[in-house]
Amino acid sequence: NNLAEAGAPLERVAIQFPDPHFKKKHRKRRVCTPELAETISSAVCASPITSSVYVASDVLDVAEEMRERFAACRELKLEGDYDDEGWLCESPLQVQTERERAVLAGLGSTSTADCVYRALFVPA
């Protein structure tokens, strides 16, 4: 499972709106584990082309957890313009997901937010 040796350059990894698993006993099922963050970080840093990791969620707890896990990877750093609360102001992607459009239109059913919490990491 070594992404760095997969044979193709890695340009971007995006984890967008993963299942929040709200119940405490199910949080172990969240997608962004410390191990996944380390694996992705290593692959992004080993890529011969400019690469990045983009995370986004409309659930603050999930977004904070993802941001903290990638921030713990010493070979990555935040990039972009951030607001006063430490979230990326604009998506680096040209096309919004259906979930992002719904949240920004105030139609998000699983969150109380009408905003998207984002972070972008690049090799340090």
Side-chain angles (χ1 to χ4, degrees):
N1 294 28
N2 189 345
L3 289 175
E5 297 174 3
L10 187 61
E11 184 176 343
R12 176 173 292 136
V13 174
I15 303 174
Q16 299 180 74
F17 307 96
D19 189 331
H21 292 292
F22 289 114
K23 292 182 181 179
K24 191 171 185 174
K25 68 180 183 177
H26 295 298
R27 288 190 178 185
K28 64 185 174 203
R29 297 181 181 152
R30 286 186 174 174
V31 168
C32 192
T33 64
E35 296 81 16
L36 180 65
E38 281 295 330
T39 299
I40 290 172
S41 173
S42 295
V44 164
C45 291
S47 181
I49 62 173
T50 303
S51 55
S52 63
V53 179
Y54 172 63
V55 295
S57 180
D58 56 322
V59 178
L60 181 59
D61 180 52
V62 172
E64 287 175 333
E65 185 177 81
M66 290 191 297
R67 182 177 62 183
E68 289 168 8
R69 292 200 168 147
F70 282 102
C73 300
R74 295 181 184 175
E75 57 274 335
L76 294 177
K77 67 177 182 175
L78 286 169
E79 182 171 277
D81 295 324
Y82 286 78
D83 63 21
D84 293 338
E85 295 176 14
W87 297 107
L88 187 64
C89 297
E90 297 287 328
S91 172
L93 307 179
Q94 294 179 357
V95 178
Q96 292 179 332
T97 65
E98 288 180 25
R99 179 69 185 165
E100 188 170 12
R101 284 193 303 272
V103 168
L104 296 176
L107 305 173
S109 60
T110 61
S111 73
T112 56
D114 59 354
C115 65
V116 176
Y117 305 102
R118 305 176 181 96
L120 180 67
F121 293 89
V122 296

